[in-house]
Amino acid sequence: GFQQTQGNIIPRFVRVNTLKTTLDDVIDYLKREGFSYQGTTMRLEDLDHLSGKTFLCDLHLKDLLVFSSKTDFHNHFLYKAGHIILQDKASCLPAFLLNPPVGSHVIDACAAPGNKTSHLAAIMKNKGKLFAFDLDAKRLSTMSTLLLRAGVTCHQLANQDFLKVDPLSSEYKEVKYILLDPSCSGSGMVCLRDEVSEPQEDGRLQALAAFQLHCLNHALQFPQVQRVVYSTCSIHTQENEEVVSACLQHNPGFRLVNLLPNWHERGHNPFTQCLRASTEKTRTHGFFVAMLERRPLQTEGQN
Ligand code: SAM
Protein backbone atom coordinates (compact mmCIF):
# COMPACT_ATOMS: atom_id res chain seq x y z
CA GLY A 1 0.00 0.00 0.00
CA PHE A 2 0.87 3.68 0.02
CA GLN A 3 2.39 3.65 3.51
CA GLN A 4 4.74 0.82 2.62
CA THR A 5 6.15 2.57 -0.43
CA GLN A 6 7.01 5.65 1.65
CA GLY A 7 10.20 4.02 2.90
CA ASN A 8 11.61 3.96 -0.62
CA ILE A 9 11.43 7.70 -1.10
CA ILE A 10 14.39 9.99 -0.57
CA PRO A 11 13.40 13.26 1.07
CA ARG A 12 14.71 16.62 -0.15
CA PHE A 13 17.83 17.48 1.85
CA VAL A 14 18.91 21.12 2.00
CA ARG A 15 22.30 22.15 3.35
CA VAL A 16 22.47 25.61 4.87
CA ASN A 17 25.50 27.46 3.47
CA THR A 18 27.06 28.95 6.59
CA LEU A 19 29.37 31.10 4.43
CA LYS A 20 26.33 33.21 3.57
CA THR A 21 23.76 32.72 6.30
CA THR A 22 22.92 30.79 9.47
CA LEU A 23 20.66 27.86 10.23
CA ASP A 24 18.38 30.09 12.34
CA ASP A 25 18.04 32.72 9.61
CA VAL A 26 17.07 30.10 7.02
CA ILE A 27 14.53 28.52 9.38
CA ASP A 28 13.01 31.96 10.13
CA TYR A 29 12.89 32.88 6.45
CA LEU A 30 11.10 29.64 5.57
CA LYS A 31 8.64 29.99 8.47
CA ARG A 32 7.69 33.45 7.23
CA GLU A 33 6.99 31.82 3.86
CA GLY A 34 4.53 29.42 5.45
CA PHE A 35 6.81 26.44 6.06
CA SER A 36 6.31 24.63 9.36
CA TYR A 37 9.43 23.69 11.33
CA GLN A 38 9.05 20.45 13.31
CA GLY A 39 12.37 20.34 15.20
CA THR A 40 15.07 17.70 14.98
CA THR A 41 14.53 14.28 13.41
CA MET A 42 14.22 11.61 16.10
CA ARG A 43 13.56 8.46 14.12
CA LEU A 44 13.99 7.47 10.50
CA GLU A 45 10.20 7.18 10.17
CA ASP A 46 9.85 10.92 10.87
CA LEU A 47 11.28 11.47 7.40
CA ASP A 48 8.52 9.39 5.81
CA HIS A 49 5.84 11.57 7.37
CA LEU A 50 7.04 14.87 5.92
CA SER A 51 4.47 16.42 3.64
CA GLY A 52 3.53 19.76 2.17
CA LYS A 53 5.49 22.53 3.84
CA THR A 54 6.72 20.75 6.96
CA PHE A 55 10.44 20.34 7.54
CA LEU A 56 12.95 19.00 10.07
CA CYS A 57 16.57 19.37 11.12
CA ASP A 58 18.66 16.31 10.34
CA LEU A 59 19.66 13.94 13.13
CA HIS A 60 23.39 13.73 12.30
CA LEU A 61 24.32 16.87 10.38
CA LYS A 62 23.74 20.16 12.12
CA ASP A 63 23.26 22.47 9.14
CA LEU A 64 21.06 20.12 7.15
CA LEU A 65 17.29 20.52 6.75
CA VAL A 66 14.90 17.86 5.47
CA PHE A 67 11.73 18.42 3.42
CA SER A 68 9.25 16.17 1.67
CA SER A 69 10.66 14.78 -1.56
CA LYS A 70 8.27 16.88 -3.64
CA THR A 71 9.68 20.17 -2.38
CA ASP A 72 11.47 21.98 -5.20
CA PHE A 73 13.85 24.81 -4.32
CA HIS A 74 15.49 25.23 -7.72
CA ASN A 75 13.68 28.52 -8.33
CA HIS A 76 13.78 29.66 -4.72
CA PHE A 77 15.54 32.86 -3.65
CA LEU A 78 17.59 31.06 -0.99
CA TYR A 79 18.96 28.66 -3.60
CA LYS A 80 19.63 31.29 -6.26
CA ALA A 81 21.42 33.46 -3.69
CA GLY A 82 23.61 30.57 -2.55
CA HIS A 83 22.18 30.51 0.96
CA ILE A 84 21.12 26.89 0.59
CA ILE A 85 22.73 24.02 -1.32
CA LEU A 86 20.61 21.15 -2.63
CA GLN A 87 22.71 18.18 -1.60
CA ASP A 88 21.79 14.66 -0.56
CA LYS A 89 22.56 13.83 3.06
CA ALA A 90 24.98 11.04 2.14
CA SER A 91 27.03 13.40 0.01
CA CYS A 92 27.33 15.76 3.00
CA LEU A 93 29.12 13.08 5.02
CA PRO A 94 32.63 13.28 3.48
CA ALA A 95 33.33 16.95 4.26
CA PHE A 96 31.54 16.74 7.62
CA LEU A 97 33.67 13.75 8.64
CA LEU A 98 36.95 15.14 7.30
CA ASN A 99 36.20 18.29 9.32
CA PRO A 100 39.32 20.27 8.39
CA PRO A 101 40.19 22.95 10.96
CA VAL A 102 39.81 26.64 10.13
CA GLY A 103 43.00 27.77 8.36
CA SER A 104 44.16 24.31 7.28
CA HIS A 105 45.44 23.26 3.86
CA VAL A 106 43.11 20.78 2.15
CA ILE A 107 42.93 18.95 -1.19
CA ASP A 108 39.67 18.04 -2.92
CA ALA A 109 41.10 15.59 -5.44
CA CYS A 110 38.15 15.02 -7.80
CA ALA A 111 36.11 18.08 -7.04
CA ALA A 112 33.63 19.01 -9.78
CA PRO A 113 30.84 20.07 -9.70
CA GLY A 114 31.91 21.16 -6.24
CA ASN A 115 29.21 20.61 -3.65
CA LYS A 116 31.70 18.94 -1.33
CA THR A 117 34.26 21.67 -2.02
CA SER A 118 31.78 24.33 -0.95
CA HIS A 119 30.95 22.28 2.15
CA LEU A 120 34.67 22.03 3.01
CA ALA A 121 35.05 25.80 2.56
CA ALA A 122 32.12 26.39 4.92
CA ILE A 123 33.71 24.15 7.56
CA MET A 124 37.03 26.00 7.08
CA LYS A 125 35.16 29.33 7.33
CA ASN A 126 36.87 30.30 4.05
CA LYS A 127 40.23 30.40 5.81
CA GLY A 128 43.26 28.36 4.78
CA LYS A 129 43.78 26.79 1.36
CA LEU A 130 41.50 24.49 -0.55
CA PHE A 131 43.19 22.98 -3.62
CA ALA A 132 40.52 21.53 -5.92
CA PHE A 133 41.33 19.39 -8.96
CA ASP A 134 39.24 17.96 -11.76
CA LEU A 135 40.06 16.47 -15.12
CA ASP A 136 36.89 17.67 -16.85
CA ALA A 137 37.01 21.31 -17.99
CA LYS A 138 33.27 21.56 -18.56
CA ARG A 139 32.45 20.30 -15.07
CA LEU A 140 35.05 22.72 -13.67
CA SER A 141 33.34 25.69 -15.29
CA THR A 142 30.02 24.64 -13.72
CA MET A 143 31.95 24.41 -10.48
CA SER A 144 33.28 27.99 -10.74
CA THR A 145 29.70 29.26 -11.00
CA LEU A 146 28.60 27.14 -8.06
CA LEU A 147 31.49 28.29 -5.84
CA LEU A 148 30.92 31.93 -6.76
CA ARG A 149 27.25 31.67 -5.82
CA ALA A 150 28.20 29.94 -2.57
CA GLY A 151 30.67 32.68 -1.63
CA VAL A 152 33.69 30.36 -1.53
CA THR A 153 36.98 32.28 -1.68
CA CYS A 154 39.64 30.03 -0.13
CA HIS A 155 39.93 27.72 -3.13
CA GLN A 156 42.37 27.27 -5.98
CA LEU A 157 40.86 25.40 -8.94
CA ALA A 158 43.00 23.39 -11.35
CA ASN A 159 42.01 21.52 -14.49
CA GLN A 160 44.42 18.73 -13.69
CA ASP A 161 44.69 14.96 -13.34
CA PHE A 162 45.02 14.34 -9.61
CA LEU A 163 47.26 11.36 -10.34
CA LYS A 164 49.74 13.77 -11.91
CA VAL A 165 49.76 16.22 -9.01
CA ASP A 166 53.21 16.02 -7.41
CA PRO A 167 52.83 15.22 -3.71
CA LEU A 168 56.33 16.52 -3.05
CA SER A 169 55.66 19.97 -4.55
CA SER A 170 56.29 22.68 -1.96
CA GLU A 171 52.82 24.02 -2.71
CA TYR A 172 51.24 21.08 -0.90
CA LYS A 173 53.70 20.74 1.94
CA GLU A 174 51.16 21.79 4.54
CA VAL A 175 48.29 19.65 3.24
CA LYS A 176 46.98 17.53 6.12
CA TYR A 177 43.48 16.72 4.86
CA ILE A 178 42.37 15.18 1.56
CA LEU A 179 38.89 14.47 0.30
CA LEU A 180 38.79 11.88 -2.45
CA ASP A 181 35.46 11.38 -4.22
CA PRO A 182 36.56 9.80 -7.50
CA SER A 183 34.51 8.73 -10.50
CA CYS A 184 32.57 5.56 -9.72
CA SER A 185 29.86 3.41 -11.26
CA GLY A 186 27.15 5.58 -9.68
CA SER A 187 25.26 2.41 -8.80
CA GLY A 188 24.00 4.02 -5.57
CA MET A 189 22.17 6.82 -7.35
CA VAL A 190 18.52 5.88 -7.10
CA CYS A 191 17.45 7.64 -10.31
CA LEU A 192 20.15 5.82 -12.28
CA ARG A 193 19.49 2.46 -10.70
CA ASP A 194 16.18 1.95 -12.52
CA GLU A 195 17.68 2.65 -15.93
CA VAL A 196 20.82 0.59 -15.36
CA SER A 197 18.87 -2.41 -14.12
CA GLU A 198 21.23 -4.78 -15.89
CA PRO A 199 24.21 -5.81 -13.78
CA GLN A 200 27.35 -3.71 -14.15
CA GLU A 201 29.79 -5.04 -16.65
CA ASP A 202 32.58 -6.59 -14.59
CA GLY A 203 35.38 -5.16 -16.71
CA ARG A 204 34.07 -1.66 -16.15
CA LEU A 205 33.90 -2.13 -12.38
CA GLN A 206 37.42 -3.53 -12.37
CA ALA A 207 38.76 -0.54 -14.28
CA LEU A 208 36.97 1.88 -11.93
CA ALA A 209 38.28 0.07 -8.85
CA ALA A 210 41.83 0.14 -10.20
CA PHE A 211 41.52 3.91 -10.81
CA GLN A 212 40.03 4.50 -7.35
CA LEU A 213 42.82 2.52 -5.66
CA HIS A 214 45.43 4.41 -7.65
CA CYS A 215 43.92 7.73 -6.48
CA LEU A 216 43.73 6.59 -2.86
CA ASN A 217 47.34 5.37 -2.86
CA HIS A 218 48.36 8.69 -4.44
CA ALA A 219 46.55 10.69 -1.75
CA LEU A 220 48.58 8.93 0.93
CA GLN A 221 51.83 10.09 -0.72
CA PHE A 222 51.43 13.68 0.47
CA PRO A 223 54.11 13.98 3.14
CA GLN A 224 52.06 15.81 5.78
CA VAL A 225 48.67 14.19 5.13
CA GLN A 226 46.98 13.07 8.34
CA ARG A 227 43.48 12.17 7.20
CA VAL A 228 41.97 11.08 3.91
CA VAL A 229 38.26 10.60 3.36
CA TYR A 230 37.38 8.25 0.52
CA SER A 231 33.81 8.21 -0.77
CA THR A 232 31.76 6.81 -3.65
CA CYS A 233 28.12 6.77 -4.67
CA SER A 234 28.50 3.09 -5.52
CA ILE A 235 26.97 0.12 -3.75
CA HIS A 236 29.59 -2.33 -5.09
CA THR A 237 32.03 -3.86 -2.59
CA GLN A 238 34.58 -3.85 -5.40
CA GLU A 239 34.65 -0.04 -5.47
CA ASN A 240 34.35 0.38 -1.72
CA GLU A 241 35.63 -2.06 0.91
CA GLU A 242 37.89 -3.84 -1.58
CA VAL A 243 39.60 -0.57 -2.57
CA VAL A 244 40.12 0.33 1.09
CA SER A 245 41.43 -3.15 1.85
CA ALA A 246 43.99 -3.11 -0.98
CA CYS A 247 45.08 0.40 -0.02
CA LEU A 248 45.67 -0.52 3.64
CA GLN A 249 47.76 -3.49 2.54
CA HIS A 250 49.94 -1.15 0.49
CA ASN A 251 50.16 1.47 3.21
CA PRO A 252 50.76 -0.05 6.65
CA GLY A 253 51.40 3.44 8.06
CA PHE A 254 47.67 4.21 7.78
CA ARG A 255 44.59 2.81 9.53
CA LEU A 256 40.82 3.27 9.41
CA VAL A 257 39.02 5.69 11.71
CA ASN A 258 35.80 4.41 13.27
CA LEU A 259 33.17 6.81 11.90
CA LEU A 260 29.93 7.94 13.64
CA PRO A 261 29.34 5.08 16.12
CA ASN A 262 25.61 5.83 16.17
CA TRP A 263 25.26 5.39 12.37
CA HIS A 264 23.74 1.95 11.90
CA GLU A 265 24.61 1.10 8.30
CA ARG A 266 28.26 0.03 8.34
CA GLY A 267 30.87 -1.07 5.81
CA HIS A 268 30.82 -4.75 4.99
CA ASN A 269 32.77 -7.02 7.34
CA PRO A 270 35.48 -6.54 8.48
CA PHE A 271 35.40 -2.85 7.45
CA THR A 272 32.76 -1.79 9.94
CA GLN A 273 34.66 1.43 10.75
CA CYS A 274 33.36 2.68 7.37
CA LEU A 275 29.84 3.92 6.65
CA ARG A 276 27.33 2.91 4.08
CA ALA A 277 24.10 4.67 3.23
CA SER A 278 20.98 3.53 1.39
CA THR A 279 17.39 4.47 0.77
CA GLU A 280 16.22 1.58 2.93
CA LYS A 281 18.28 2.42 6.02
CA THR A 282 19.17 6.12 5.80
CA ARG A 283 16.69 7.57 3.23
CA THR A 284 19.56 8.72 1.04
CA HIS A 285 21.20 7.56 -2.15
CA GLY A 286 23.53 4.57 -1.87
CA PHE A 287 26.89 5.77 -0.63
CA PHE A 288 30.15 4.65 1.00
CA VAL A 289 32.60 6.60 3.18
CA ALA A 290 35.92 5.56 4.69
CA MET A 291 38.44 7.66 6.58
CA LEU A 292 42.10 6.71 6.72
CA GLU A 293 44.48 8.32 9.18
CA ARG A 294 48.22 8.19 9.55
CA ARG A 295 49.23 6.01 12.49
CA PRO A 296 50.98 7.91 15.25
CA LEU A 297 54.74 7.32 15.21
CA GLN A 298 55.65 4.41 17.49
CA THR A 299 58.04 5.56 20.19
CA GLU A 300 61.02 3.23 20.57
CA GLY A 301 61.08 0.84 23.51
CA GLN A 302 62.65 2.23 26.66
CA ASN A 303 65.10 -0.62 27.36
N1 SAM B 1 33.15 15.67 -5.35
C1 SAM B 1 32.25 16.15 -6.40
C2 SAM B 1 31.09 16.85 -5.75
O1 SAM B 1 30.76 16.59 -4.60
O2 SAM B 1 30.49 17.71 -6.40
C3 SAM B 1 31.81 15.00 -7.30
C4 SAM B 1 32.97 14.30 -7.95
S1 SAM B 1 32.52 13.10 -9.20
C5 SAM B 1 32.00 11.76 -8.24
C6 SAM B 1 34.09 12.57 -9.77
C7 SAM B 1 34.89 13.62 -10.54
O3 SAM B 1 36.21 13.13 -10.76
C8 SAM B 1 34.36 13.97 -11.93
O4 SAM B 1 34.06 15.33 -11.98
C9 SAM B 1 35.53 13.64 -12.87
O5 SAM B 1 35.66 14.59 -13.92
C10 SAM B 1 36.71 13.70 -11.94
N2 SAM B 1 37.90 12.93 -12.32
C11 SAM B 1 37.97 11.74 -12.95
N3 SAM B 1 39.25 11.35 -13.08
C12 SAM B 1 40.01 12.31 -12.50
C13 SAM B 1 41.41 12.48 -12.30
N4 SAM B 1 42.29 11.57 -12.75
N5 SAM B 1 41.84 13.59 -11.68
C14 SAM B 1 40.95 14.52 -11.24
N6 SAM B 1 39.63 14.41 -11.39
C15 SAM B 1 39.16 13.33 -12.01
Side-chain angles (χ1 to χ4, degrees):
F2 181 71
Q3 282 300 322
Q4 278 171 320
T5 62
Q6 289 286 297
N8 296 319
I9 293 174
I10 300 177
R12 161 64 69 196
F13 289 99
V14 169
R15 180 167 63 78
V16 172
N17 179 14
T18 55
L19 290 177
K20 288 220 158 169
T21 183
T22 64
L23 181 66
D24 288 343
D25 281 356
V26 168
I27 291 174
D28 286 346
Y29 189 101
L30 291 169
K31 281 200 217 161
R32 283 197 301 273
E33 277 195 337
F35 282 91
S36 160
Y37 177 55
Q38 314 267 302
T40 301
T41 311
M42 291 303 172
R43 302 161 310 125
L44 194 62
E45 293 70 40
D46 293 347
L47 302 184
D48 302 330
H49 299 134
L50 286 167
S51 66
K53 289 190 132 187
T54 63
F55 70 107
L56 293 160
C57 261
D58 183 65
L59 177 61
H60 300 95
L61 290 120
K62 191 180 146 281
D63 295 312
L64 194 65
L65 299 171
V66 204
F67 299 78
S68 109
S69 59
K70 292 188 195 80
T71 319
D72 186 0
F73 284 107
H74 285 92
N75 291 313
H76 196 278
F77 163 76
L78 291 176
Y79 173 68
K80 289 186 165 167
H83 290 210
I84 60 172
I85 315 276
L86 307 179
Q87 187 174 359
D88 184 52
K89 175 176 176 173
S91 97
C92 294
L93 288 170
F96 170 77
L97 293 168
L98 189 61
N99 195 24
V102 172
S104 56
H105 288 200
V106 180
I107 287 176
D108 190 345
C110 298
N115 276 334
K116 296 181 189 77
T117 317
S118 98
H119 194 188
L120 286 168
I123 293 166
M124 295 159 71
K125 299 196 173 11
N126 253 342
K127 298 198 173 75
K129 274 196 179 158
L130 182 43
F131 302 98
F133 303 101
D134 204 281
L135 203 50
D136 186 325
K138 213 172 149 206
R139 286 170 69 95
L140 266 183
S141 88
T142 307
M143 177 162 173
S144 296
T145 311
L146 190 148
L147 294 183
L148 186 69
R149 192 173 58 202
V152 176
T153 54
C154 64
H155 64 293
Q156 191 175 304
L157 278 190
N159 185 6
Q160 204 177 328
D161 182 345
F162 173 62
L163 294 172
K164 293 193 178 136
V165 175
D166 178 9
L168 300 180
S169 156
S170 66
E171 210 173 351
Y172 313 119
K173 65 180 191 296
E174 289 175 53
V175 169
K176 290 191 177 144
Y177 303 87
I178 298 180
L179 191 149
L180 174 62
D181 184 43
S183 300
C184 71
S185 63
S187 55
M189 299 301 291
V190 171
C191 45
L192 290 180
R193 208 185 285 162
D194 297 335
E195 294 160 32
V196 193
S197 51
E198 56 205 278
Q200 293 278 333
E201 192 196 319
D202 197 54
R204 180 172 172 250
L205 276 187
Q206 251 176 42
L208 283 166
F211 164 71
Q212 292 150 354
L213 176 59
H214 202 161
C215 287
L216 191 51
N217 283 333
H218 193 69
L220 300 188
Q221 301 308 307
F222 288 75
Q224 285 300 317
V225 75
Q226 298 301 316
R227 292 189 153 196
V228 175
V229 163
Y230 172 71
S231 60
T232 74
C233 58
S234 165
I235 54 171
H236 291 101
T237 310
Q238 233 179 320
E239 296 177 273
N240 298 328
E241 290 86 351
E242 287 181 26
V243 168
V244 168
S245 172
C247 177
L248 288 171
Q249 276 172 32
H250 269 85
N251 300 277
F254 285 82
R255 65 184 179 195
L256 285 171
V257 178
N258 191 34
L259 300 171
L260 299 180
N262 64 348
W263 184 277
H264 298 301
E265 191 168 9
R266 313 298 304 186
H268 294 168
N269 264 325
F271 300 99
T272 54
Q273 298 100 322
C274 309
L275 305 182
R276 274 183 172 256
S278 66
T279 311
E280 299 73 24
K281 293 190 179 146
T282 57
R283 299 295 185 269
T284 66
H285 290 282
F287 209 78
F288 175 83
V289 196
M291 179 150 72
L292 284 76
E293 71 173 2
R294 192 184 291 279
R295 288 182 192 274
L297 278 175
Q298 297 292 314
T299 46
E300 295 294 328
Q302 301 292 308
N303 44 338

